Amino acid sequence: MLRETLTDFITSYINGRRAAKLEAHDKEAEKKLAGITVHDELVLAQAELAQKRAELENQYRVTEWLSNAASRAGQISLVTHAAKFTHSDVRGSSIFSAASAPQGSYLSTATLAKPALDAVGNAAALDIAKLLQTEVEGDSLIASLQRGDVSALTPLTDDRQLLESWVNGFKQVLVDKQPASHKLAKQLYFPVGQSQYHLLSPLFSSSLAHALNQRITFTRFSEESKAARAAMNARRLHSEPVVSYPGTAIINMGGTKPQNISYLNSVRGGKVWLLSCASPGWNSLNRPPVSHKSVFHFGSEIGRQTRPVIARMQRFLQCIPPNLSPAQLRQQRLALTDEIIDIVFNYALGVQNLAGPESEAKGWSAQPECRLKRAQQLWLDPYRSMHDNDFRIEREGGGWKKEVARDFGHWMIRQLHSDRLRMGEVERREFSAAPLFKQRLRELERDLREDLP
């Protein structure tokens, strides 16, 4: 059944191309004849067009087309690694690699169980590549010829010599008679001994790129993947996992003519996916600040996170534009201060949540090794009041808020102070009384009321 199916595909493929050619011819002929009014010229044109149509029908007879295709097959090569992905004008050889990799090796073309073969060469002969590569029930013409099975072609002719010419012609696509590199190809001198080198020419694996394209396309656009994502969004169970490829990029090969690079590149529309090779992003884990006397110092987490904004504020205050009005100066300074305050309270919220009501870390400020000053303990470890009555009473008193604001003000003037920028008590009071600082304190306390007794 499989052999008959593959033979039927060859026949239907050729007939399909013949039908398309004849349809185009008939439309062109109808248009041409419609413009002729002289009877003798019309008769002559009809004869010429009929002869041309007969020639087309003859060219697309199965045996004739296969013979022509076998003779043209040498114009293309079926490969796994195509040279023109390196440079569109490269004239070097592309490679067909049938190597297999041991289990557990690195991802490469050799690890693919069934790599897709690409076709390179004369773009006008890519119709032959489609005939050879199209799979029918898991088999293809080129795969059958590779293993010495010619039964797909046998029913199409009784002439053994003609059959042999087809087989030998189509097998040319797997052979590069004169392997060569080129000046536009990548070339590396790899040392193998004293003053001895191997000249390596790494090639782009179109087969691996195609396998990756199929995998990503399936996980993003297949009906199965869409159903799995819909179930996840609806918080429902699904039999299939949701797979994602974050941080991908796309490069386009061949511009407006991807077929000039290779057949598979044309199938992909010139698109090649790139997976992210960036190192993992490091997210700092907030830990209770037990080793510092104050969270407001240069080496603390707050100091690290606010450093870029502090530097911007320093530059602004040291080089104030002469045409800036006092109101604009205050507005810009307040905007930078608010940005720093937001960072400070994001950090504070992170520390408070780290030791939430259900966490074993609540009450970390009661540890003997905690050096943090009392006011900041009351600020950053609110859930300690759930089991420490004295701590709760002191926290409810609220005096610690003024001290935290004063600590913030002192820290700000220390960060900004320089030979060109003198800071004193006036600036400290202004920073300590910043409206946004007071607002953020109130908001944090309001949000904590539901959790605290």
Side-chain angles (χ1 to χ4, degrees):
M1 181 64 182
L2 181 60
R3 294 174 181 174
E4 293 177 357
T5 304
L6 193 53
T7 302
D8 290 343
F9 162 73
I10 295 171
T11 304
S12 62
Y13 177 76
I14 297 171
N15 289 338
R17 293 188 64 80
R18 178 179 60 189
K21 285 288 185 180
L22 291 178
E23 183 181 358
H25 171 271
D26 292 344
K27 287 183 179 179
E28 184 65 27
E30 185 179 354
K31 188 185 300 183
K32 185 175 181 180
L33 293 174
I36 300 175
T37 56
V38 180
H39 180 266
D40 292 342
E41 292 180 1
L42 181 62
V43 171
L44 183 60
Q46 287 175 333
E48 291 176 352
L49 290 171
Q51 181 181 358
K52 186 176 180 181
R53 196 178 197 282
E55 290 174 354
L56 279 174
E57 288 181 337
N58 184 61
Q59 289 174 14
Y60 281 89
R61 286 192 300 115
V62 173
T63 54
E64 287 293 327
W65 192 90
L66 285 174
S67 296
N68 178 267
S71 67
R72 292 186 295 125
Q75 299 176 23
I76 62 171
S77 298
L78 293 187
V79 298
T80 54
H81 297 70
K84 284 199 171 186
F85 282 98
T86 303
H87 194 287
S88 58
D89 285 334
V90 72
R91 297 291 183 266
S93 299
S94 299
I95 300 297
F96 169 73
S97 174
S100 59
Q103 189 174 5
S105 61
Y106 292 106
L107 176 63
S108 67
T109 311
T111 60
L112 299 177
K114 195 174 182 181
L117 296 183
D118 204 347
V120 297
N122 185 2
L126 290 180
D127 57 330
I128 305 170
K130 188 173 182 179
L131 172 77
L132 294 172
Q133 292 178 269
T134 301
E135 289 192 357
V136 179
E137 295 187 13
D139 199 10
S140 65
L141 179 57
I142 191 59
S144 63
L145 295 180
Q146 277 184 282
R147 62 176 184 267
D149 182 1
V150 299
S151 56
L153 296 172
T154 302
L156 301 176
T157 182
D158 295 328
D159 189 334
R160 300 300 300 177
Q161 286 187 336
L162 183 60
L163 176 62
E164 187 176 345
S165 70
W166 290 350
V167 173
N168 292 336
F170 289 137
K171 280 187 174 181
Q172 291 180 80
V173 300
L174 298 174
V175 179
D176 193 337
K177 297 177 181 178
Q178 295 180 327
S181 186
H182 189 260
K183 63 182 180 180
L184 295 178
K186 293 183 183 294
Q187 297 185 18
L188 304 173
Y189 283 95
F190 189 83
V192 294
Q194 186 67 31
S195 300
Q196 294 181 324
Y197 301 89
H198 280 165
L199 184 58
L200 306 181
S201 184
L203 294 176
F204 180 90
S205 174
S206 185
S207 297
L208 186 59
H210 200 68
L212 182 62
N213 180 79
Q214 290 176 319
R215 182 73 63 87
I216 293 179
T217 300
F218 179 83
T219 57
R220 291 188 175 178
F221 307 114
S222 69
E223 293 302 321
E224 296 91 332
S225 298
K226 289 179 181 178
R229 283 196 297 273
M232 180 186 69
N233 294 334
R235 298 184 178 277
R236 290 185 283 103
L237 292 177
H238 196 273
S239 59
E240 296 297 323
V242 174
V243 180
S244 64
Y245 294 86
T248 56
I250 293 175
I251 55 175
N252 287 287
M253 300 289 193
T256 59
K257 297 181 178 179
Q259 69 275 12
N260 288 346
I261 302 296
S262 74
Y263 170 71
L264 287 184
N265 189 60
S266 179
V267 170
R268 296 189 296 267
K271 180 172 64 177
V272 174
W273 292 96
L274 299 179
L275 299 180
S276 175
C277 294
S279 57
W282 181 262
N283 294 323
S284 298
L285 175 65
N286 281 335
R287 293 182 176 85
V290 295
S291 60
H292 299 301
K293 293 182 179 179
S294 172
V295 293
F296 296 114
H297 70 93
F298 183 79
S300 68
E301 185 67 17
I302 286 178
R304 185 187 65 80
Q305 293 182 17
T306 59
R307 202 166 296 148
V309 190
I310 292 286
R312 287 200 340 254
M313 192 171 186
Q314 266 188 331
R315 289 194 298 270
F316 169 72
L317 294 176
Q318 289 175 355
C319 303
I320 298 173
N323 58 344
L324 201 67
S325 69
Q328 291 173 322
L329 171 60
R330 284 193 300 271
Q331 183 179 9
Q332 183 66 23
R333 185 178 61 199
L334 187 60
L336 290 167
T337 303
D338 287 351
E339 191 174 345
I340 294 169
I341 290 171
D342 281 336
I343 295 173
V344 168
F345 278 90
N346 283 338
Y347 167 79
L349 182 61
V351 175
Q352 289 181 352
N353 290 338
L354 185 68
E358 306 300 326
S359 171
E360 295 180 359
K362 65 177 181 293
W364 54 265
S365 60
Q367 299 172 8
E369 62 270 23
C370 181
R371 303 173 57 207
L372 196 65
K373 62 191 305 182
R374 187 68 170 182
Q376 294 183 24
Q377 291 181 21
L378 294 164
W379 176 36
L380 299 174
D381 190 17
Y383 297 104
R384 177 178 167 183
S385 60
M386 296 177 69
H387 56 79
D388 187 332
N389 192 52
D390 292 338
F391 189 87
R392 178 180 60 81
I393 294 172
E394 189 175 356
R395 195 174 193 286
E396 289 175 351
W400 56 272
K401 297 177 184 178
K402 291 183 179 179
E403 188 172 350
V404 169
R406 190 162 50 248
D407 290 341
F408 172 73
H410 279 300
W411 174 73
M412 282 291 292
I413 64 172
R414 287 199 306 271
Q415 300 303 303
L416 297 171
H417 187 84
S418 67
D419 292 340
R420 297 177 56 191
L421 199 61
R422 299 293 181 178
M423 293 283 173
E425 184 60 20
V426 174
E427 289 77 14
R428 197 278 305 163
R429 283 198 299 269
E430 186 171 343
F431 287 129
S432 297
L436 186 63
F437 197 93
K438 294 179 179 179
Q439 178 186 335
R440 290 287 184 264
L441 271 177
R442 287 194 302 271
E443 291 172 350
L444 276 183
E445 291 305 296
R446 184 188 61 218
D447 293 341
L448 284 168
R449 284 180 195 140
E450 295 181 2
D451 295 331
L452 295 177

